[in-house]
Amino acid sequence: MESLSFAVEGASASSCQQEWIEIQDNLKRKLVLEDDFTWTIPPGVSCLDRDGKAKRIQYIGGVDVSFVKEDPSLACGALVVLDASTLDVVHEEFQVVRLKVPYLPGFLAFREAPIILGILEKMKQKDHPFYPQLLMVDGNGILHPRGFGLACHVGVLSDLPAIGIGKNLHHVDGLSECGVRKLLDARENMGKDIIPLFGKSGQAWGAAMRSTPDSVKPIYISPGHRISIDSSLEIVKLCCKFRVPEPIRQADIRSRIFLQKLKGSGNLISLEYSAQ
């Protein structure tokens, strides 16, 4: 797995921004936006295919970063791994860190990607049996002002297929949240759960999805790396019990519980002290 130094401690947001844009541009050259994996997606084969190679996907990872309310610079990264057939959690990993990188809109990856990549690297070094075959990321893939969101960062640097799940829509290529909601509510789309997102340029950026019948707000899905838009949608549909796909929902819930337990035991205070 590649590593990358995202920022220098103490550097201002403005001084980091140009460097971050250059890093995004360099990583974007490695981006793969077509299916590049050996497993199949249900309802595909449940065993070996004709060539004896491709198996149905087994392990889907979900990643999320939660923050301590009293101190937003203290964060807990979570990676949960779900059995793709049952959506049961089979493994979870956490890492609490003190963030020293400033947040700028459009540059979420420079705060959160190092935490996620650190957890993945830890599992990879242990040759963990539940190492994910695909990641769902609480953040955008190509549906991003520069076409390279958090899911792209994590996907390229981990070399894993990755899907971005956004709860809010970036204004990209003429797309707007208001415009997408009008499309979803249009008479001709009343029976549709998925609305493709095409920008003014004609480029396909992903899709808005009503993930459950009672969902009022859509989620915004875009490929992050080594997967197409169509396959991203198929996998997300398989993982939705609620509005947010189960891998990300579980990562969010469990990271918050993990922080609460640390705080209740007093260990969070010692972590805060050691992180300073």
Side-chain angles (χ1 to χ4, degrees):
M1 185 184 300
E2 292 185 53
S3 62
L4 194 64
S5 176
F6 286 138
V8 178
E9 183 179 350
S12 68
S14 58
S15 65
C16 289
Q17 186 168 351
Q18 186 56 45
E19 179 186 353
W20 289 351
I21 290 172
E22 291 174 6
I23 290 171
Q24 283 181 333
D25 289 343
N26 287 332
L27 291 177
K28 192 174 178 180
R29 296 188 183 100
K30 302 179 181 180
L31 194 61
V32 176
L33 296 177
E34 57 188 27
D35 292 340
D36 179 27
F37 44 77
T38 57
W39 36 263
T40 64
I41 303 170
V45 294
S46 58
C47 56
L48 297 179
D49 68 3
R50 295 177 185 175
D51 299 325
K53 293 179 180 179
K55 286 186 178 181
R56 190 165 64 180
I57 186 170
Q58 290 181 286
Y59 301 123
I60 298 174
V63 293
D64 185 57
V65 178
S66 295
F67 297 88
V68 177
K69 287 184 179 180
E70 298 81 3
D71 184 355
S73 70
L74 201 62
C76 176
L79 166 64
V80 299
V81 183
L82 277 63
D83 183 304
S85 298
T86 64
L87 296 185
D88 293 332
V89 175
V90 296
H91 185 71
E92 58 185 21
E93 293 269 354
F94 305 98
Q95 184 176 4
V96 178
V97 300
R98 171 78 65 187
L99 292 172
K100 302 181 187 299
V101 178
Y103 170 71
L104 280 177
F107 297 96
L108 178 66
F110 295 91
R111 275 171 66 86
E112 298 191 2
I115 309 172
I116 298 165
L117 292 167
I119 297 173
L120 286 167
E121 183 63 24
K122 179 182 172 183
M123 289 186 71
K124 193 171 186 179
Q125 287 179 355
K126 292 180 178 178
D127 196 22
H128 203 288
F130 292 131
Y131 190 79
Q133 295 164 286
L134 170 138
L135 289 176
M136 282 192 188
V137 179
D138 183 16
N140 290 287
I142 63 170
L143 187 57
H144 178 272
R146 280 170 301 285
F148 199 82
L150 176 61
C152 299
H153 254 286
V154 172
V156 168
L157 289 175
S158 65
D159 196 29
L160 280 171
I163 302 170
I165 310 294
K167 301 183 187 76
N168 299 294
L169 180 66
H170 280 297
H171 287 212
V172 176
D173 195 12
L175 293 168
S176 69
E177 209 148 11
C178 178
V180 172
R181 290 296 297 273
K182 286 180 179 178
L183 281 174
L184 283 165
D185 294 338
R187 182 179 299 176
E188 64 270 21
N189 294 326
M190 288 301 289
K192 297 179 181 178
D193 297 327
I194 296 171
I195 300 295
L197 298 178
F198 290 95
K200 286 184 178 178
S201 67
Q203 179 174 337
W205 293 96
M209 175 188 285
R210 290 190 185 101
S211 44
T212 61
D214 57 348
S215 290
V216 176
K217 295 182 178 180
I219 55 174
Y220 301 98
I221 301 154
S222 58
H225 184 52
R226 292 182 55 194
I227 192 165
S228 65
I229 292 175
D230 288 345
S231 292
S232 297
L233 293 172
E234 286 300 313
I235 290 177
V236 172
K237 282 191 289 185
L238 291 169
C239 293
C240 284
K241 295 181 178 180
F242 303 93
R243 178 185 175 230
V244 176
E246 201 64 8
I248 292 175
R249 195 178 81 90
Q250 288 296 330
D252 175 60
I253 291 171
R254 289 166 186 256
S255 64
R256 294 180 191 280
I257 291 173
F258 186 78
L259 281 174
Q260 289 171 0
K261 287 181 178 178
L262 280 179
K263 189 174 181 180
S265 66
N267 289 332
L268 185 57
I269 296 174
S270 62
L271 278 169
E272 289 175 343
Y273 180 78
S274 64
Q276 291 175 356

